Amino acid sequence: MTKDPMTVAVIGTGYVGLGTAALLAHIGHTVTGIDISEEKINLLRAGQVPIHEPGLDDLLASVQDRLTWTTSYDSVHTADVIFICVGTPPGPDGTPDLQYVVSAAARIAPHLNGHAQVIVNKSTVPIGTGDYVQRLLEDHAPGYDHERHRVVSNPEFLREGTALQDSLYPDRIVLGGHPDALQIMARLYAPLIEQTFTAPAAAPRPETYTRPTVVNTTLQSAEMIKYAANAFLALKISFANEIAGLCERVGADIEEVATGIGLDGRIGTRFLNAGAGWGGSCFGKDTAGLISAGREHGYDMPILQAAIDINTRQRQVIIDKLMRQLRTLKGKRVTVLGMAFKPDTDDLRDAPAHDLITRLHQLGATVTAHDPIAMPRAAREWTHLTYREASSVQDALHRADAVIIVTEWSDYRTLDWNAHLKGMRGRLIIDARNIIRTPIDAHVEQIGREAPVGERRALT
């Protein structure tokens, strides 16, 4: 608990905004969450969290005495720190759409008061957006004072599914802006930096964790750090998938190869998992955003473009494996297991399953889809797709000619495959996440490696 509680406003109640609000309230600050969506605000007031993130509902419930939810910007007037946590979706050419950032800044401006206030860009934004927001405040705030109203870039590095752990025990905290504003941010984050808060039951402190590194830098460098970090992680995944393709052709095992190269301290073991490729709201958007920034300055970035191209190709690799075995998909029933872009979230943005369902339907297959968590959201957001929603894994596999494992949910990792295969018409499994580790009575295709001995059998 902080000895110096502050008043905070958080604009936006998506993944970043809710995580930020929960974190700051937990370490002792008074927080108001603001969103233009009355539906979201009403849900939050009723104690319901509009997204799926393990442990978040419990953490929000435990700090409800320090949390207020509203559609009004009036609370900005009394806030010491105002976080902008709105979406920046990519446009057709990959350039981030800043309309929500611009709207938030314009709505914040009239409510700024005479004491020192820090406006924090938590959203992922193009390099130079911090200066742009500063100009917007100048234009729209009647009492604007450049010495009292400072803009800071404080990018988030959360992974959906482990957002609480990432928020409470980060590798680093990046702060970009004027030194006076960074001092205020240091006060705000003091319990986090010093790790003096009580760890919540939903996210215990790792035994080996000490404290985060604080990176104080400029607005532009902080904005670049966020983009460059995500682009590099996307590059690692695409690199692993490219190597996996060659592993299949020469008889190597991508998992053994990834382990061997990852043990080199200069490379590291994380984000070298071959599979269906990356998805979600960050990697594709941020990599495309960097390419767009380079294009704006007449600077080509071919390595980043290759990462995107390889990720797109990886989804076709899965279809190719299916086609090699079934020859044609016309009249075939194909089951897609996993719709969210990764396990432990219901986020469907840029999910590989979306592209696979689209392509399977185009090729004439009847598609059945299942996900432990994301199906209700898919029913709202994927109305343009053609598929049957399965009520259970057993229902999903019933009379299927083939199965594609797209998301590595624990439900699928621990499945008794031999028991469930009995309801299938065919025995073909495209394991695009390499989660099947023991022999089963089916023909299994994996990514970058031979399936476990005894699985690969002739299809009848």
Side-chain angles (χ1 to χ4, degrees), residues 63-76:
V63 294
Q64 58 182 338
D65 59 324
R66 290 191 292 277
L67 267 176
T68 304
W69 305 105
T70 181
T71 57
S72 169
Y73 276 70
D74 290 346
S75 60
V76 168

Side-chain angles (χ1 to χ4, degrees), residues 10 28 31 56 104 133 162 180 192 196-197 295 324 336 394 406 430 449:
V10 176
V31 182
L56 181 60
V133 169
T162 59
D180 292 349
L192 186 65
T196 55
F197 64 88
R295 187 166 56 243
R324 276 197 297 271
V336 170
Q394 183 176 1
V406 186
I430 308 298
R449 66 190 301 267

Side-chain angles (χ1 to χ4, degrees), residues 86-97:
V86 298
T88 53
D93 63 349
T95 303
D97 184 349

Side-chain angles (χ1 to χ4, degrees), residues 119-121 125-134 150-155 174-178 182 217-225:
I119 298 86
V120 183
N121 262 339
V125 293
I127 297 87
T129 301
D131 291 329
Y132 181 40
V133 169
Q134 194 90 47
R150 307 279 194 185
V151 174
V152 164
S153 175
N154 173 215
V174 176
L175 301 169
H178 190 279
L182 300 193
T217 185
T218 64
L219 273 171
Q220 293 81 3
S221 291
E223 291 164 347
M224 179 64 87
I225 286 168

Side-chain angles (χ1 to χ4, degrees), residues 219-456:
L219 273 171
Q220 293 81 3
S221 291
E223 291 164 347
M224 179 64 87
I225 286 168
K226 169 63 175 180
Y227 270 104
N230 277 349
F232 186 73
L233 295 176
L235 182 62
K236 287 187 74 173
I237 296 171
S238 286
F239 176 82
N241 277 324
E242 186 165 64
I243 295 298
L246 186 56
C247 283
E248 291 184 11
R249 288 159 175 78
V250 302
D253 186 316
I254 184 57
E255 295 186 359
E256 295 174 357
V257 172
T259 298
I261 66 174
L263 290 172
D264 186 324
R266 298 167 298 176
I267 298 173
T269 57
R270 299 170 68 187
F271 290 89
L272 286 175
N273 296 320
W278 37 262
S281 64
C282 294
F283 287 175
K285 176 172 72 71
D286 295 353
T287 304
L290 266 185
I291 294 171
S292 173
R295 187 166 56 243
E296 182 180 335
H297 293 275
Y299 185 73
D300 290 336
M301 306 190 81
I303 293 177
L304 298 187
Q305 184 59 56
I308 292 176
D309 294 342
I310 292 166
N311 198 62
T312 301
R313 182 181 71 183
Q314 198 64 17
R315 301 177 187 188
Q316 183 58 40
V317 165
I318 295 167
I319 297 295
D320 290 344
K321 286 178 176 290
L322 193 66
M323 293 288 288
R324 276 197 297 271
Q325 299 299 330
L326 296 184
R327 306 302 179 188
T328 180
L329 295 184
K330 291 182 175 62
K332 297 294 196 299
R333 296 179 185 272
V334 180
T335 294
V336 170
L337 291 182
M339 302 167 81
F341 85 93
K342 63 179 291 188
D344 295 319
T345 183
D346 62 348
D347 196 343
L348 299 168
R349 287 174 289 184
D350 196 24
H354 177 279
D355 293 355
L356 291 172
I357 292 172
T358 300
R359 187 63 182 141
L360 290 168
H361 177 68
Q362 290 172 346
L363 292 169
T366 298
V367 183
T368 299
H370 177 269
D371 190 284
I373 294 293
M375 287 195 295
R377 187 165 179 174
R380 298 190 303 269
E381 298 182 8
W382 285 2
T383 56
H384 56 289
L385 298 185
T386 302
Y387 65 92
R388 183 181 73 85
E389 186 179 280
S391 59
S392 64
V393 175
Q394 183 176 1
D395 177 33
L397 298 182
H398 182 62
R399 297 178 64 188
D401 294 289
V403 177
I404 305 175
I405 304 172
V406 186
T407 312
E408 60 274 34
W409 284 96
S410 60
D411 301 53
Y412 306 147
R413 287 184 184 275
T414 59
L415 199 65
D416 182 347
W417 281 97
N418 283 325
H420 282 80
L421 288 170
K422 295 174 183 177
M424 291 182 63
R425 181 162 57 198
R427 294 292 181 93
L428 173 63
I429 300 176
I430 308 298
D431 180 7
R433 296 298 182 181
N434 293 353
I435 65 172
I436 295 177
R437 313 306 294 184
T438 57
I440 61 175
D441 187 22
H443 182 96
V444 178
E445 296 273 347
Q446 295 189 325
I447 304 295
R449 66 190 301 267
E450 292 287 332
V453 175
E455 291 185 11
R456 300 173 68 86

